Amino acid sequence: MNDSILVMYKSVTGFTERYARWIAEDLDCEAADIKDLSAEKLSGCETVIFGGRFHAGRVDGLKKAKELFEKSSCKNLILFATGATPNSAGAIIEEAWKNDLTPEELSLYPHFYMQSGLRYEKMSFGDRAMMKVFASMVKRKKDKTDYDKAMEKALGSSYDLSSREFISPLVSYVTARIL
């Protein structure tokens, strides 16, 4: 097992944990929930990969992940986010990253996105209510773009579009630059 890399994640509906475990399997390293980690544990690694869901325009758990990384002696931080937004919506995804990362951090921390899906049954009441409001806003919108139409359809019910193939860019990056 490669002890120089650690994949940490924050997962609510299970998609991010699934991606974290796939990444760890491909890189032959450990995957762990961020709530079980400390800066000391990260200090034993050279590279930490953190994943969280895009939630209300931010990466869930990223603030804590950056704090742990900065307190550790770890050298590299790589980020990934999961969400319902289609992988093809690059501009929307990059704007979401800008909500959490400064311009310097955007260039400093490699970041990746992996489409997953929605699991209403695993969301909190507040998250379900927020999604229903968002779905209602999209439904009432006039002059819908293709993206709006796709979002309206996607928000209707739970679904899973996660795929192991979506980890390839991150795994390739680590393999080429870190290992």
Side-chain angles (χ1 to χ4, degrees):
M1 177 160 298
N2 187 343
D3 293 332
S4 69
I5 300 173
L6 173 68
V7 180
M8 67 175 170
Y9 61 87
K10 179 172 183 186
S11 187
V12 174
T13 60
F15 292 116
T16 304
E17 180 179 3
R18 176 188 294 159
Y19 278 118
R21 296 203 178 279
W22 284 341
I23 293 164
E25 187 177 302
D26 279 15
L27 296 174
D28 190 32
C29 66
E30 180 185 353
D33 193 312
I34 193 170
K35 70 180 181 221
D36 300 326
L37 297 171
S38 65
E40 181 178 69
K41 171 72 174 172
L42 270 60
S43 292
C45 304
E46 199 162 306
T47 300
V48 172
I49 300 167
F50 171 73
R53 67 180 174 151
F54 274 130
H55 179 256
R58 299 215 174 265
V59 179
D60 201 13
L62 182 56
K63 182 178 178 184
K64 181 176 180 183
K66 288 192 304 186
E67 287 172 2
L68 287 173
F69 174 75
E70 289 166 6
K71 290 178 183 176
S72 77
S73 62
C74 186
K75 295 178 184 168
N76 306 302
L77 178 62
I78 299 170
L79 308 171
F80 74 92
T82 63
T85 301
N87 285 331
S88 60
I92 292 168
I93 294 164
E94 280 307 308
E95 279 303 310
W97 280 113
K98 290 177 184 176
N99 289 333
D100 272 321
L101 300 173
T102 66
E104 180 185 6
E105 289 173 331
L106 282 167
S107 62
L108 183 64
Y109 302 137
H111 49 283
F112 301 85
Y113 177 75
M114 297 158 201
Q115 182 177 355
S116 54
L118 289 173
R119 286 192 178 131
Y120 284 110
E121 62 278 5
K122 292 200 174 194
M123 289 181 185
S124 69
F125 173 78
D127 283 351
R128 282 194 311 271
M130 182 176 67
M131 293 303 292
K132 295 295 182 188
V133 168
F134 181 61
S136 175
M137 288 169 48
V138 172
K139 189 173 188 169
R140 288 190 308 242
K141 189 175 180 181
K142 296 187 185 336
D143 301 321
K144 293 177 187 153
T145 65
D146 287 342
Y147 177 78
D148 294 332
K149 291 173 189 173
M151 284 304 292
E152 181 179 13
K153 184 178 177 185
L155 294 171
S157 61
S158 295
Y159 61 94
D160 181 353
L161 295 177
S162 58
S163 173
R164 194 177 185 108
E165 72 185 76
F166 298 152
I167 70 170
S168 292
L170 187 152
V171 170
S172 294
Y173 177 89
V174 172
T175 302
R177 292 190 173 88
I178 307 295
L179 295 178

